Amino acid sequence: MTLATLSVTVPALLSSSSARAVSGEVPVDPDSEQATNWLIDELSKAPYQAARPTLFDRVSKAFSDWLASLTIGEGTGIPTIVLIVLLALVAIAIIAAIVVYGLPRLNRKSRHEEGIFGEADYRTAAQLRASAEQAAAREDFAEAIADMFRSIARGLSERTLVSMTPGTTGHGFASRASRALPELARELGHSADVFDLVRYMRKPATREQYDELRTLEARVRAAKPDLAEATL
């Protein structure tokens, strides 16, 4: 065999051998189950998963389809300008409600966390009332009067009838409370006087003063406020 013949025969044999090896390793005619498995493996790869629609995409598509399904009269779809106006009106209504009524949960939380009459006292109205009763039981009427007056103020704040802003004084509270409860204006003003005398001027406190304040606290809790005059 000549050199020229070998140069033609050897590459042909190698090419034929390689083809048989490849065809032996990768079936060119897979059965149905094997083809399915290949497809599942391929689609599970990252590029295909990244291309899948997200939850936001599906929700947006569903909302868009719902808008498209809305009709007026004889089945004519709602014009785009009408949808824009409707959505704008809804947004304006929500904003107006927040401006007028505020965020109830946040407002309630802030009122509960603020101090009262310049002191870092975060007790609820019920807790202050209970503390006043305990102080009166041991005849500490100065403390009993102070806590009972605070209970009145905290109670109206919890009912969102009077705002207790930082720096509010006893008389400032009584003035605001009198607007919501005009029939108790005189008693509220007198209770602020007693609170100042006992708490800040250190005047002697009596059981009679405490009993009057306890009666007022019960009346305030039972009174029907004038909501138009409530100062939030």
Side-chain angles (χ1 to χ4, degrees):
M1 183 177 294
T2 65
L3 182 59
T5 303
L6 287 174
S7 65
V8 174
T9 305
V10 171
L13 290 174
L14 289 175
S15 178
S16 176
S17 176
S18 298
R20 287 195 300 271
V22 171
S23 64
E25 293 176 0
V26 181
V28 295
D29 187 19
D31 57 27
S32 176
E33 181 178 357
Q34 191 170 22
T36 300
N37 291 335
W38 286 358
L39 181 60
I40 293 174
D41 290 340
E42 181 67 19
L43 293 178
S44 66
K45 293 180 181 179
Y48 295 99
Q49 293 299 314
R52 294 179 60 187
T54 64
L55 176 61
F56 177 79
D57 294 331
R58 294 195 294 272
V59 171
S60 299
K61 179 64 167 57
F63 181 69
S64 177
D65 292 343
W66 174 75
L67 288 179
S69 69
L70 297 177
T71 59
I72 294 178
E74 298 297 327
T76 303
I78 296 180
T80 302
I81 186 63
V82 175
L83 291 176
I84 294 175
V85 171
L86 289 175
L87 292 176
L89 289 176
V90 171
I92 292 172
I94 293 173
I95 294 172
I98 292 175
V99 171
V100 174
Y101 299 104
L103 300 175
R105 292 183 179 179
L106 295 179
N107 286 343
R108 189 176 302 116
K109 181 180 180 181
S110 65
R111 287 191 176 92
H112 179 68
E113 290 181 351
E114 65 191 11
I116 186 168
F117 300 134
E119 300 181 26
D121 193 330
Y122 308 108
R123 290 175 291 177
T124 65
Q127 290 171 332
L128 286 164
R129 184 169 59 252
S131 177
E133 292 171 350
Q134 292 169 4
R138 61 176 183 269
E139 298 188 352
D140 184 354
F141 296 113
E143 188 66 23
I145 288 172
D147 278 348
M148 190 61 76
F149 187 73
R150 293 191 190 104
S151 178
I152 295 173
R154 181 69 80 195
L156 291 178
S157 177
E158 290 173 347
R159 293 166 63 186
T160 67
L161 298 175
V162 176
S163 60
M164 296 297 294
T165 55
T168 299
T169 64
H171 282 91
F173 156 73
S175 177
R176 297 177 186 178
S178 295
R179 300 175 191 172
L181 303 171
E183 73 279 8
L184 297 176
R186 186 182 64 80
E187 290 88 341
L188 287 166
H190 177 66
S191 68
D193 290 337
V194 173
F195 175 76
D196 285 350
L197 288 172
V198 171
R199 185 64 179 173
Y200 301 116
M201 300 182 69
R202 305 298 180 183
K203 296 297 182 179
T206 66
R207 176 178 289 277
E208 181 181 3
Q209 291 172 321
Y210 168 73
D211 288 340
E212 290 178 353
L213 197 56
R214 182 179 61 179
T215 300
L216 176 61
E217 191 275 336
R219 292 182 63 192
V220 168
R221 274 190 290 135
K224 293 182 179 180
D226 183 351
L227 297 179
E229 295 297 329
T231 57
L232 301 180

